[in-house]
Amino acid sequence: MRDAGSCRGVLAALAVLAGLAACGSSNEIIEGPKNVTALKGSEARFNCTISQGWKLIMWALKGTVVLSVTPTEPIITNDRFTSASYQEGGNFISEMVIHDVQLRDTGQVKCSLQNSDRDGSAFLSVQVMGQLFIPEGSLVVTEDKPCNVTCHALGWTPLPRLSWEIGVPVSHWSYYSVLEPEDLQSAVSVLALTPQGNGTVTCVAEVEPLHVHESVTVNLTVVQPPLESSYQSEIRKSANMKTNEDTSGTKLKSGNENYGYSSDELRTTKTASLPAKSSEFGVPEQRGSRQLHQGFDQHQLGPASRPQVSFNVASPKKVRNVTLV
């Protein structure tokens, strides 16, 4: 029955068109329709303002006539496309309503008049709200330990802008959003946070220009770090401290100095580094009083009748040369 009605509607439209073509008409489109963005499943409305004297208005979607309007009644061939009309300032406004808009309806919408080469056109954009979910569901996390929460937006057209609302005390949080590797019509957003108490996090998907949005919320339950881990940490810390003490003790023992040891070479070196000065020696004092000089320098001690003494420190042995003049 529905198909038969559609056929009768088409035949009627053709008959009207034939009659109008024979008698002609004088009219023009004053203002054509404007671009519309509609959500899938909703309605989309387009208006076309026409001067008086028109005989037939035709509406086309993506090049196919889907609705015709005569001065007496609209010719409806598809229930998804209906008509409304208004008068404004002596002009006629024809409105086409697209019901249950689908993604396949995306395309050009055109308003035209019989026997006129002028038309008005616009574009229909259809947005699809897909799924939004957090796979993990409610989460149990550790206090002051970084964790991630992932949000998926699947089957959206166009892709939404993803953001997060934080309803939990945190010391840090950040997020980033990317396309799903295997589905360019889907996106994923990853929230990284360091929780400090119980609360909620909400993933929000928003699409422009309709400002439609959808959100999903999960609970975060924060627990204290396991006591066993803390105990093991203290044990490891204590063991490390003991190891450090043992190592320090070994180093001290291996570096003890024997202060009772005395070396002639050490004494000679220390003595040789003292400032040089001249001294007078008597023969009886030769063994008890000595002045060392580094190298082989000789110093004359007095008149020719006094002894001349020279010491050689290049060898570990002490050498005394006494010359009496």
Side-chain angles (χ1 to χ4, degrees), residues 102-114:
Q102 298 297 309
L103 186 59
R104 65 177 181 271
D105 296 331
T106 299
Q108 187 184 56
V109 174
K110 183 181 293 186
C111 168
S112 61
L113 301 175
Q114 178 69 29

Side-chain angles (χ1 to χ4, degrees), residues 165-231:
E165 295 176 356
I166 311 300
V168 58
V170 296
S171 60
H172 166 79
W173 70 276
S174 63
Y175 73 93
Y176 65 90
S177 301
V178 295
L179 293 176
E180 287 277 14
E182 300 179 357
D183 184 1
L184 298 182
Q185 295 301 315
S186 302
V188 59
S189 184
V190 179
L191 169 67
L193 73 162
T194 304
Q196 295 183 318
N198 298 333
T200 62
V201 293
T202 301
C203 178
V204 180
E206 185 175 5
V207 178
E208 300 290 346
L210 295 180
H211 301 291
V212 295
H213 69 277
E214 189 173 336
S215 63
V216 58
T217 301
V218 295
N219 294 321
L220 258 66
T221 301
V222 177
V223 298
Q224 296 293 323
L227 295 178
E228 182 179 355
S229 298
S230 301
Y231 174 76

Side-chain angles (χ1 to χ4, degrees), residues 130-133 151-156 159-160 162 180 183 185-189 205:
Q131 296 177 324
L132 186 70
F133 62 94
C151 178
H152 294 267
L154 304 180
W156 291 70
L159 286 175
L162 297 176
E180 287 277 14
D183 184 1
Q185 295 301 315
S186 302
V188 59
S189 184

